[in-house]
Amino acid sequence: MESNIKDVARLANVSISTVSRVMNMPEKVAIETRVKVQEAMKELNYTPNALARGLIYKRTKSLGVLIPDISNMFYSEMLHGMEHAAQRHHYNLILCNTDNNKARMLESLNMLKEKQIDGLVFTSEPVYPDYYEVFKKLQIPIVLAATHSLEFDIPSVKVNDEQASFDAAECLIKHGHRRIGMICGSITDNVTAMPRLQGFLRALRVHDLETDVDSQVQFGGYKFEDGYEAMGQLLRKFPDITAVFASSDERALGAISYLHEHGKSVPEDISVIGFDNLRLAQMSIPKLTTVGQPLYQIGYLAVEKLDHLIQNEHVGELRTYVRHELVERQSVARR
Amino acid sequence: MESNIKDVARLANVSISTVSRVMNMPEKVAIETRVKVQEAMKELNYTPNALARGLIYKRTKSLGVLIPDISNMFYSEMLHGMEHAAQRHHYNLILCNTDNNKARMLESLNMLKEKQIDGLVFTSEPVYPDYYEVFKKLQIPIVLAATHSLEFDIPSVKVNDEQASFDAAECLIKHGHRRIGMICGSITDNVTAMPRLQGFLRALRVHDLETDVDSQVQFGGYKFEDGYEAMGQLLRKFPDITAVFASSDERALGAISYLHEHGKSVPEDISVIGFDNLRLAQMSIPKLTTVGQPLYQIGYLAVEKLDHLIQNEHVGELRTYVRHELVERQSVARR
DNA sequence: TGCTTTTATGAAAACCTTTTCACCCAGGAT
DNA sequence: ATCCTGGGTGAAAAGGTTTTCATAAAAGCA
């Protein structure tokens, strides 16, 4: 039932070369032959086979995307941007969810290589040296999205986390807060969590506030439940707190939830500022003040950068830093 | 730099047939030859080319996924399930975001066909007759996820929307509510919105409450803003309302937001029940009571059903209906 | 008219595998 | 000694395309 170029050629009474030409350089074939062939293609419901094409062109117009957890809005917004850029540049996206699991990641990478992807976008997670080894073996253009590597020269696009956190903290300070806690990511993550911590501390220092990481900062996961948990810890260790910087929106909502359940109202008693500006930041009560990263744009630019790499065009800067933006809503109050 | 089977064969001093055998039926080749070949493969960092394989096997181990909007948590949770099922059965997922745009969908479908996907999962959106024509031309196994078709015999997996809505409405009624409004989807959508409306109305009738669609039901989009908007309308048309069934969690949060801003507290003044049980339903204040659909599972099962179709195994039932579940949290109060 | 150039087409090689078939050789049975 | 069996291997075709090169016909030009 599936028809190939041969069937078309036979039906149109031409050679397969001619059929191929009709598809790729139609101006090179006589007008009558052309329509004859096109009619045959239509009649047979013919579609060219991208596998055969890819074999010859050594190019598949497919990109691999490695994502730790697609159901996380953080990644899905980025993915959305990637998908649009991919459509624009005629790529397909092959999606691999890694669950932050190294074995699964390597497996996916292997599968992607076998499928001859033209390029790869790697999201979040730092690039550990052994990852870099694998990347090198892949022999494929790679772009990092929402992460970067200072050790290795891999193109990347992300926000300036240190500065963004600085701005978040400064926002709280400018609203008159002096006793500020932070809910931070894992201490082992120095591509995202550490810069954010540093930005936070810098803001405190710049404004002559004392800093005490031990009591003031709570480390943990990025999820709602982690934020909830962390808020509890923080309140115990640092009771006279008036504001909290939660370095992800989910954590922020978790914190707010904890505060709400423990009779503190936001922002009247305690102000909370988040990080990311996911769609859910507008949906909470109170609406969340947060420092936004343009996730859609990060995804979009990552794919465009990858395309440049693939086309061997100039890549622009190796490490692109996109603008963050302070989004003031209702979870931060003047004090 | 890229090595093929020939390079391996040359280095190992064997024919390419032998190399191929080492990969596909290693027991058929003498142990010394086997290790010789394996060493050569390792030395050359050889990976087989899935394009060439696919050409022969007429099977690519790739599935297409058509999704209206990946950044929507509704789809991203489903996608997560699909991805896990895909990994389990050794498929790759090629993701296409359609933006609910017909032209883009057809374009994607074409691309997917060219790439020789083994099957397709189509999410949400009703299957219009012209879609069905396209599907037929595709000559590829298809499964519908979170949608179904009564006109056409296409395998599908989804929740029983009518019954789920019935349960939602009944939950409100059992909590003593008599004046209940509904925020509903578009009136043109009769795969999801209409059954939900019918379930809602059935519950009212069964419990001898009067129904007046005109004043009691507000139609609109599924987003937060739509819910916000709709809540306003509803309150104007049907002022002495004590409870609202919003037929998506996002709409429910929009409604809650509206109520909050207009001085009504949830659930003390007005109860709200949602639909979906997205992750964000646990993150709101108050935590949202909702009737949950197992989105992850829907995605997972859809891919497994697709796999059965591809393998020509028995598909089980054509239309699978998975269990919904009433998740009682804090947005519904007794009256 | 006879020559060269151009235009339209086809044959065959190449891309990288898998698989069928044939071959060779060692060992067991007769 | 002869035949058969079978394990291990290689040559070649097939899968669907693109592309190079060759060829034939038509057109241009003197």
Side-chain angles (χ1 to χ4, degrees):
Chain A
M1 206 64 222
E2 285 302 285
S3 56
N4 31 358
I5 200 173
K6 268 188 209 161
D7 300 328
V8 176
R10 197 175 313 126
L11 182 61
N13 241 314
V14 296
S15 75
I16 61 168
S17 327
T18 301
V19 178
S20 175
R21 267 186 293 258
V22 169
M23 296 187 284
N24 302 301
M25 30 202 338
E27 71 286 354
K28 286 282 178 188
V29 18
I31 182 74
E32 320 92 64
T33 347
R34 199 193 310 172
V35 306
K36 210 171 48 176
V37 169
Q38 282 161 340
E39 279 164 7
M41 297 204 293
K42 179 159 261 174
E43 179 165 344
L44 294 176
N45 184 26
Y46 170 75
T47 332
N49 184 322
L51 299 182
R53 278 192 170 166
L55 213 44
I56 295 178
Y57 287 144
K58 293 172 172 307
R59 211 204 44 200
T60 54
K61 281 287 174 183
S62 295
L63 303 179
V65 180
L66 251 45
I67 285 189
D69 174 10
I70 339 167
S71 58
N72 187 319
M73 289 187 74
F74 180 87
Y75 296 109
S76 65
E77 285 191 22
M78 217 156 60
L79 185 56
H80 200 189
M82 293 185 210
E83 223 283 337
H84 278 163
Q87 297 226 13
R88 163 119 194 275
H89 297 278
H90 304 287
Y91 288 103
N92 271 142
L93 252 35
I94 301 184
L95 180 69
C96 295
N97 196 94
T98 63
D99 295 310
N100 270 314
N101 170 338
K102 193 158 172 177
R104 187 163 274 188
M105 194 198 93
L106 294 177
E107 214 175 290
S108 300
L109 241 27
N110 217 46
M111 213 166 177
L112 290 172
K113 188 183 183 191
E114 294 191 4
K115 299 235 166 139
Q116 313 294 119
I117 52 168
D118 296 340
L120 176 76
V121 11
F122 183 85
T123 64
S124 235
E125 282 202 88
V127 179
Y128 303 109
D130 52 336
Y131 284 11
Y132 184 65
E133 287 309 309
V134 179
F135 287 170
K136 266 203 309 204
K137 278 204 181 161
L138 237 45
Q139 305 262 38
I140 279 176
I142 297 186
V143 169
L144 310 176
T147 182
H148 67 349
S149 168
L150 297 174
E151 306 178 59
F152 307 114
D153 284 346
I154 308 178
S156 56
V157 15
K158 73 186 283 288
V159 114
N160 181 339
D161 283 283
E162 201 273 348
Q163 184 61 45
S165 280
F166 179 91
D167 292 353
E170 195 168 57
C171 166
L172 295 173
I173 296 168
K174 288 198 169 149
H175 278 77
H177 295 276
R178 292 288 169 268
R179 306 286 291 168
I180 304 176
M182 174 175 182
I183 297 176
C184 189
S186 161
I187 198 160
T188 60
D189 166 10
N190 44 30
V191 30
T192 298
M194 283 308 102
R196 291 188 191 175
L197 175 58
Q198 283 153 13
F200 172 71
L201 295 175
R202 177 161 68 91
L204 296 189
R205 282 195 306 269
V206 164
H207 291 276
D208 292 321
L209 300 178
E210 54 184 287
T211 65
D212 173 12
V213 174
D214 283 343
S215 65
Q216 206 168 0
V217 179
Q218 184 64 39
F219 299 91
Y222 67 90
K223 298 228 163 186
F224 178 82
E225 296 76 14
D226 302 314
Y228 183 93
E229 198 58 41
M231 190 65 236
Q233 303 282 3
L234 207 53
L235 224 42
R236 254 161 269 143
K237 293 198 302 193
F238 199 55
D240 52 349
I241 204 169
T242 72
V244 175
F245 167 38
S247 63
S248 86
D249 286 349
E250 258 202 70
R251 279 189 273 245
L253 293 191
I256 291 180
S257 205
Y258 182 92
L259 291 170
H260 178 77
E261 287 180 17
H262 291 75
K264 310 248 183 207
S265 62
V266 177
E268 292 76 8
D269 298 329
I270 294 190
S271 289
V272 175
I273 188 168
F275 196 114
D276 285 342
N277 193 27
L278 302 184
R279 251 163 58 69
L280 51 79
Q282 323 162 29
M283 310 193 331
S284 67
I285 296 174
K287 293 190 198 300
L288 191 66
T289 293
T290 190
V291 31
Q293 26 180 352
L295 293 167
Y296 179 94
Q297 195 198 355
I298 289 175
Y300 199 98
L301 290 180
V303 165
E304 291 213 313
K305 182 168 274 206
L306 192 49
D307 179 53
H308 288 154
L309 237 51
I310 293 169
Q311 312 276 356
N312 256 316
E313 294 165 4
H314 68 293
V315 194
E317 342 134 273
L318 188 68
R319 300 182 180 82
T320 301
Y321 294 97
V322 294
R323 277 238 290 285
H324 60 273
E325 159 202 28
L326 188 65
V327 184
E328 302 204 43
R329 285 194 272 248
Q330 300 153 5
S331 64
V332 172
R334 181 152 299 286
R335 147 159 306 253
Chain B
M1 206 63 221
E2 286 301 287
S3 57
N4 29 356
I5 200 173
K6 265 190 212 159
D7 300 327
V8 176
R10 197 176 313 125
L11 183 60
N13 242 315
V14 297
S15 74
I16 60 169
S17 327
T18 300
V19 178
S20 175
R21 267 187 293 258
V22 169
M23 296 187 283
N24 302 300
M25 32 205 333
E27 71 286 354
K28 288 280 181 193
V29 15
I31 182 72
E32 319 92 65
T33 342
R34 200 192 311 173
V35 306
K36 208 171 49 177
V37 169
Q38 282 162 340
E39 278 165 6
M41 296 204 293
K42 178 158 263 173
E43 178 164 345
L44 293 176
N45 184 25
Y46 169 75
T47 330
N49 184 323
L51 299 182
R53 278 190 171 168
L55 212 45
I56 296 178
Y57 288 144
K58 292 172 170 309
R59 213 203 44 201
T60 55
K61 280 287 175 183
S62 295
L63 304 179
V65 180
L66 250 45
I67 285 188
D69 175 10
I70 340 167
S71 58
N72 186 319
M73 288 188 74
F74 180 87
Y75 295 109
S76 65
E77 286 192 21
M78 216 155 61
L79 185 56
H80 200 188
M82 293 185 210
E83 223 282 337
H84 278 164
Q87 297 228 13
R88 162 119 193 275
H89 297 278
H90 304 287
Y91 289 102
N92 271 142
L93 253 33
I94 301 184
L95 179 70
C96 296
N97 197 93
T98 64
D99 295 312
N100 270 313
N101 170 338
K102 193 158 171 178
R104 188 164 272 191
M105 193 197 92
L106 294 177
E107 213 175 292
S108 299
L109 241 27
N110 217 47
M111 213 168 177
L112 290 172
K113 187 183 183 190
E114 293 192 4
K115 299 235 166 140
Q116 312 296 115
I117 52 169
D118 295 340
L120 177 75
V121 10
F122 183 85
T123 64
S124 234
E125 281 203 87
V127 179
Y128 303 109
D130 52 335
Y131 283 13
Y132 184 66
E133 288 309 309
V134 180
F135 287 171
K136 267 204 310 205
K137 276 205 183 157
L138 236 45
Q139 306 262 39
I140 279 176
I142 296 186
V143 168
L144 309 176
T147 181
H148 68 349
S149 167
L150 298 173
E151 306 177 60
F152 308 114
D153 285 346
I154 307 179
S156 56
V157 15
K158 72 186 283 286
V159 114
N160 181 339
D161 283 282
E162 201 273 346
Q163 184 61 46
S165 280
F166 179 91
D167 292 352
E170 197 169 54
C171 166
L172 295 174
I173 295 169
K174 288 196 168 149
H175 277 79
H177 295 277
R178 293 288 169 268
R179 307 286 290 166
I180 304 176
M182 174 175 182
I183 297 176
C184 188
S186 161
I187 197 159
T188 60
D189 166 11
N190 43 32
V191 30
T192 298
M194 283 308 103
R196 290 188 192 175
L197 175 57
Q198 283 154 13
F200 172 71
L201 295 174
R202 177 161 69 90
L204 296 189
R205 282 196 305 270
V206 164
H207 291 275
D208 293 321
L209 301 178
E210 55 185 287
T211 64
D212 173 12
V213 174
D214 283 344
S215 66
Q216 206 167 0
V217 179
Q218 185 63 40
F219 299 91
Y222 66 91
K223 296 228 164 185
F224 178 83
E225 296 76 14
D226 302 314
Y228 183 94
E229 198 57 41
M231 190 66 236
Q233 303 283 2
L234 208 52
L235 224 42
R236 253 162 269 143
K237 294 198 302 193
F238 200 55
D240 51 351
I241 205 170
T242 71
V244 176
F245 168 37
S247 62
S248 86
D249 286 348
E250 256 200 72
R251 279 188 273 245
L253 294 191
I256 291 179
S257 203
Y258 182 92
L259 292 170
H260 178 78
E261 287 180 17
H262 291 75
K264 310 250 185 205
S265 62
V266 177
E268 292 76 9
D269 298 328
I270 294 188
S271 290
V272 175
I273 188 168
F275 196 113
D276 287 342
N277 192 28
L278 302 184
R279 252 163 58 71
L280 51 80
Q282 323 161 30
M283 310 193 332
S284 67
I285 297 174
K287 293 190 197 300
L288 192 66
T289 293
T290 190
V291 31
Q293 26 179 350
L295 292 167
Y296 179 94
Q297 195 198 356
I298 289 175
Y300 199 98
L301 290 179
V303 165
E304 292 214 313
K305 182 168 274 206
L306 192 50
D307 179 52
H308 287 154
L309 237 52
I310 292 169
Q311 312 277 356
N312 255 317
E313 295 165 5
H314 67 293
V315 193
E317 343 136 271
L318 187 67
R319 300 183 179 82
T320 301
Y321 294 97
V322 294
R323 278 239 289 286
H324 60 272
E325 159 202 28
L326 188 65
V327 184
E328 303 204 41
R329 285 194 271 249
Q330 299 152 6
S331 64
V332 172
R334 180 152 299 286
R335 151 157 302 255

